[in-house]
Amino acid sequence: MAQETIDQDTIDQDTMDLLTMPPATTARETPAQPKMAETTSARVVVVTSGKGGVGKTTSTAALGAALARQGEKVVVIDFDVGLRNLDLVLGAERRVVFDLINVIHGVAKLPQALIRDKRLENLYLLPASQTRDKDALTEDGVAGVIAQLRAKFDWIICDSPAGIERGATLAMRHADIAVIVTNPEVSSVRDSDRIIGLLDSKTEKAERGERIDKHLLITRYHAARAARGEMLSIDDVLEILSLPLIGIVPESEEVLRASNVGSPVTLNNPLSAPARAYFEATRRLKGEQIPMLVPHEGRGIFNKLFGRKAA
């Protein structure tokens, strides 16, 4: 099957520049790990949902790689202890020696556990443990890891397990921004509403009386099925959750194909429709206001969807 590509007529020049630029490592050889400069403006993002199987891990990898392609220093953390998958999606499963739990319990230092991506010199992975359970996560240990990473990276993206148990609450604990991933299905949207409540009560920002920035990412959207009433429309989802929308990722074999070869879709096929959606989502995360189109529909919905405020 031919690879799905986007219509370049619908892309603004900034997005096209991002989609077509070579990965950072192609500009020069970097055989040794670079010394990362200190930064004080790191943003911690939790990618979360109430329901499993909606695309959190895929989205974490795609968003992380898209930000790294833009020159940002990014680390993605797998909080799904016992069921890690982020290393597989990034093609790093054979390079895991130490993990998040090892760092928390003092078995390894943080630099020993960080895995640098072979394609992007400024993208790193902190994997989860495959042999421990979520009780091995401690609040003080997670806080210490996040504090160390804040000093070294621009973006810290936490891949949360599904649901409302310990791993999920610790993944969101230190977040500045939440990306709530949902499919346009009733059960997925309902469970996402529960996660919104947790974000407003269980995070450090909430305890300080501050409001965490929450954004909605809709995945596996299929316009024809929505038109037939087989899934919720974009309007339906926004009406229920009342969150700003940062992206609509269409149903596509490109996402599965990329995961199967251990590469985020934003690297494996950056001109595909899902990759475009993720690239534009990162630009919105950084505060840009750019038009948004429903996948496979020609009408612009910028005024209708972009920037809707949380209730």
Side-chain angles (χ1 to χ4, degrees):
M1 180 180 294
Q3 287 190 332
E4 176 184 1
T5 58
I6 57 178
D7 181 359
Q8 296 186 9
D9 292 337
T10 66
I11 310 174
D12 60 57
Q13 188 58 50
D14 289 338
T15 299
M16 179 54 65
D17 291 343
L18 290 176
L19 299 181
T20 56
M21 72 169 62
T25 50
T26 61
R28 63 186 185 279
E29 295 298 324
T30 54
Q33 179 169 320
K35 182 178 180 180
M36 293 176 289
E38 301 234 344
T39 179
T40 57
S41 59
R43 282 165 283 189
V44 180
V45 180
V46 61
V47 179
T48 184
S49 73
K51 188 175 184 292
V54 298
K56 289 185 304 299
T57 298
T58 298
S59 295
T60 298
L63 293 170
L67 285 166
R69 279 187 63 120
Q70 296 169 54
E72 306 279 354
K73 291 177 290 186
V74 183
V75 59
V76 292
I77 309 176
D78 193 344
F79 272 86
D80 202 356
V81 177
L83 295 171
R84 76 178 187 217
N85 283 305
L86 190 53
D87 57 321
L88 288 170
V89 177
L90 288 169
E93 67 275 10
R94 296 184 180 181
R95 301 172 61 202
V96 176
V97 179
F98 298 109
D99 55 53
L100 174 61
I101 300 301
N102 293 144
V103 175
I104 286 175
H105 290 276
V107 176
K109 296 191 178 298
L110 182 57
Q112 293 176 293
L114 287 172
I115 301 171
R116 189 176 71 177
D117 189 84
K118 291 183 176 181
R119 297 151 296 199
L120 294 168
E121 64 181 28
N122 49 341
L123 175 63
Y124 289 76
L125 164 69
L126 180 55
S129 171
Q130 217 170 9
T131 58
R132 304 290 294 274
D133 60 33
K134 292 175 178 63
D135 290 336
L137 288 170
T138 67
E139 187 169 331
D140 289 343
V142 171
V145 169
I146 296 295
Q148 290 184 70
L149 293 172
R150 278 188 186 272
K152 302 294 184 182
F153 290 91
D154 298 314
W155 293 84
I156 302 163
I157 306 180
C158 303
D159 181 21
S160 171
I164 57 176
E165 42 69 52
R166 183 174 182 80
T169 57
L170 286 176
M172 69 174 63
R173 175 75 181 157
H174 305 280
D176 304 306
I177 303 167
V179 174
I180 300 166
V181 182
T182 187
N183 295 157
E185 301 169 356
V186 172
S187 61
S188 179
V189 173
R190 181 184 62 186
D191 290 345
S192 294
D193 196 40
R194 297 186 66 193
I195 291 297
I196 294 170
L198 283 180
L199 291 165
D200 288 335
S201 62
K202 298 294 186 182
T203 61
E204 282 189 328
K205 293 191 76 170
E207 291 176 358
R208 294 195 300 264
E210 302 173 15
R211 195 174 184 87
I212 186 170
D213 291 333
K214 298 182 290 292
H215 303 275
L216 183 64
L217 180 67
I218 298 175
T219 55
R220 303 189 65 180
Y221 177 76
H222 194 287
R225 290 184 60 198
R228 293 194 298 267
E230 296 173 5
M231 61 172 53
L232 297 176
S233 69
I234 301 299
D235 285 339
D236 291 336
V237 176
L238 292 176
E239 186 67 29
I240 296 168
L241 296 179
S242 298
L243 292 177
L245 181 65
I246 63 163
I248 307 168
V249 182
E251 180 79 64
S252 172
E253 291 185 3
E254 285 301 324
V255 176
L256 178 61
R257 183 179 293 114
S259 295
N260 286 341
V261 299
S263 176
V265 69
T266 43
L267 292 183
N268 193 61
N269 186 6
L271 291 178
S272 66
R276 176 202 175 183
Y278 284 119
F279 274 109
E280 293 188 346
T282 61
R283 293 177 59 192
R284 296 185 185 102
L285 272 180
K286 293 195 293 184
E288 293 186 53
Q289 295 195 11
I290 57 175
M292 186 182 303
L293 298 176
V294 175
H296 307 306
E297 293 183 14
R299 61 188 182 92
I301 55 171
F302 175 80
N303 292 329
K304 193 172 188 180
L305 299 182
F306 182 80
R308 292 207 23 185
K309 302 299 182 184

